[in-house]
């Protein structure tokens, strides 16, 4: 089932500087990756972001156009596009420098999307974070709200500085997905499953924890559900978590569980159906990690 989904968050240019000084640039940003994945799966994906009218912004627009993602009307504005520069040492370790401004304009958003998703830096970096909080509150009347904290310590600062903001976003959400690394950093604990399960007390119907090579686990009213990872030869993990987030929404759409009018049905999702959702997301993510970069699968690649 095709869904109309609004993704809100940063789109930027990733700049990788190798140890020998060679530079590579490509479009990036967690929300951008989710939008690309959803559109490639056949959904009506709209991206609310903030990019400049420069060469890098042109490259981002071309990347989105290629995958069929629709930019919201006010997402392009005069000025430069945000960047994230990773300088690699001889061992491949990266030092990051961000040049990022986040102040989105919500003019011209699609009406009554089935779901609204946000993630990462955009949901905590001001002034845009306040704009997104207001968007999530207003969208709850028509849409399923999906959120991935997707921690970026370099920009987010100390975990205690962003924990309250992240928990407020969780409280506005129906579906929350996070990695075990994100939860461990955010709460300083190895009991990451306990944290993910406790998030349901804040309001979400469904919380999902990805655990890399250990698969994924979800918590809902029907209990705890775990699935094993899909075994593939890993090229890199860039975009894997973003594809997983898209996969959750894709699977929920297929089961007719997106939209505010389906909130009670989502809250009552049976364990077997929840396992199907997780397996779908894991399979899509496995395709992404089997090839270089954030390159999520197209619908025609799936069986």
């Amino acid at each position: 089932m095709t869904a109309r989904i609004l993704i809100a968050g940063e789109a930027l240019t990733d700049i990788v500087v190798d140890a020998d000084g060679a530079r590579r640039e490509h479009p990036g940003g967690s929300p951008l990756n989710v939008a690309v994945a959803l559109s490639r799966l056949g959904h009506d994906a709209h991206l609310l972001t903030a990019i400049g009218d420069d060469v890098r912004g042109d490259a981002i627009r071309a990347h989105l156009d290629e995958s069929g993602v629709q930019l919201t009307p006010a997402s392009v504005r005069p000025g430069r596009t945000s960047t994230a520069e990773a300088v690699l040492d001889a061992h491949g370790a990266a030092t990051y420098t961000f040049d990022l401004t986040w102040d989105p304009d919500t003019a011209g958003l699609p009406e009554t999307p089935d779901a609204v998703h946000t993630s990462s830096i955009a949901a905590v970096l001001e002034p845009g974070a306040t704009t997104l909080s207001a968007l999530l509150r207003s969208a709850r009347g028509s849409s399923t709200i999906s959120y991935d904290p997707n921690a970026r310590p370099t920009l987010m600062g100390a975990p205690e500085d962003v924990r309250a903001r992240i928990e407020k976003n969780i409280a506005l959400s129906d579906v929350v997905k996070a990695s075990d690394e994100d939860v461990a950093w955010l709460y300083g604990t190895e009991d990451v499953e306990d944290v993910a399960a406790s998030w349901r007390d804040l309001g979400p119907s469904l919380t999902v924890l990805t655990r890399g090579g250990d698969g994924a686990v979800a918590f809902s009213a029907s209990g705890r559900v775990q699935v094993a990872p899909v075994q593939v030869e890993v090229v890199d993990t860039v975009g894997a978590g973003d594809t997983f987030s898209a996969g959750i929404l894709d699977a929920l759409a297929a089961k007719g569980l997106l939209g505010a009018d389906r909130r009670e049905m989502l809250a009552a999702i049976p364990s077997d159906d929840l396992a199907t959702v997780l397996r779908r997301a894991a399979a899509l993510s496995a395709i992404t990690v089997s090839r270089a970069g954030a390159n999520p699968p197209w619908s025609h690649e799936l069986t």
Side-chain angles (χ1 to χ4, degrees):
M1 181 183 297
T2 299
R4 176 185 295 171
I5 302 175
L6 172 64
I7 304 93
E10 73 272 8
L12 46 77
T13 299
D14 282 330
I15 306 169
V16 180
V17 184
D18 294 328
D20 61 4
R23 298 171 68 90
R24 307 188 305 275
E25 296 192 6
H26 55 85
S30 171
L32 175 146
N33 293 336
V34 173
V36 167
L38 285 167
S39 186
R40 290 184 178 186
L41 291 170
H43 297 287
D44 182 16
H46 299 253
L47 179 62
L48 164 63
T49 191
I51 58 176
D53 58 353
D54 54 0
V55 172
R56 287 170 174 157
D58 291 343
I60 289 172
R61 291 200 299 277
H63 176 63
L64 295 171
D65 285 345
E66 180 184 9
S67 293
V69 177
Q70 301 179 60
L71 274 175
T72 62
S75 287
V76 181
R77 72 276 307 277
R80 70 180 187 278
T81 297
S82 296
T83 61
E85 183 176 273
V87 179
L88 306 181
D89 64 19
H91 304 288
T95 301
Y96 289 92
T97 303
F98 291 90
D99 179 9
L100 175 62
T101 56
W102 177 238
D103 187 11
D105 185 337
T106 58
L109 299 185
E111 294 184 4
T112 61
D114 300 297
V116 175
H117 173 84
T118 191
S119 62
S120 200
I121 300 165
V124 297
L125 183 66
E126 295 293 3
T130 295
T131 301
L132 288 197
S133 291
L135 172 63
L136 298 185
R137 288 191 191 93
S138 65
R140 281 188 60 83
S142 61
S143 312
T144 297
I145 306 300
S146 168
Y147 175 51
D148 176 5
N150 199 1
R152 293 290 183 265
T154 303
L155 272 181
M156 293 182 179
E160 57 269 20
D161 294 337
V162 295
R163 193 180 303 134
R165 165 72 75 175
I166 287 173
E167 289 181 347
K168 286 181 180 179
N169 292 331
I170 290 170
L172 291 170
S173 303
D174 300 295
V175 178
V176 177
K177 177 242 122 184
S179 72
D180 51 0
E181 293 179 348
D182 288 344
V183 176
W185 173 77
L186 190 58
Y187 290 88
T189 180
E190 295 181 359
D191 298 325
V192 291
E193 283 198 20
D194 290 344
V195 173
S198 72
W199 281 345
R200 289 193 61 248
D201 295 333
L202 299 177
S205 298
L206 175 62
T207 60
V208 179
L209 185 72
T210 56
R211 307 210 65 168
D214 293 325
V217 59
F219 303 91
S220 70
S222 61
R224 178 185 183 275
V225 174
Q226 183 170 5
V227 298
V230 177
Q231 299 299 324
V232 294
E233 183 175 344
V234 176
V235 175
D236 67 46
T237 61
V238 178
D242 303 324
T243 303
F244 201 103
S245 291
I248 292 173
L249 293 172
D250 174 68
L252 292 177
K255 293 185 176 297
L257 293 177
L258 294 184
D261 59 340
R262 306 301 175 93
R263 189 162 281 135
E264 290 186 6
M265 294 174 61
L266 175 61
I269 185 172
S271 295
D272 289 348
D273 285 354
L274 182 50
T276 300
V277 169
L278 294 183
R279 283 193 289 267
R280 171 70 166 180
L284 295 170
S285 184
I287 294 173
T288 299
V289 303
S290 72
R291 50 202 191 188
N295 185 13
W298 297 77
S299 58
H300 64 75
E301 298 180 274
L302 308 177
T303 58

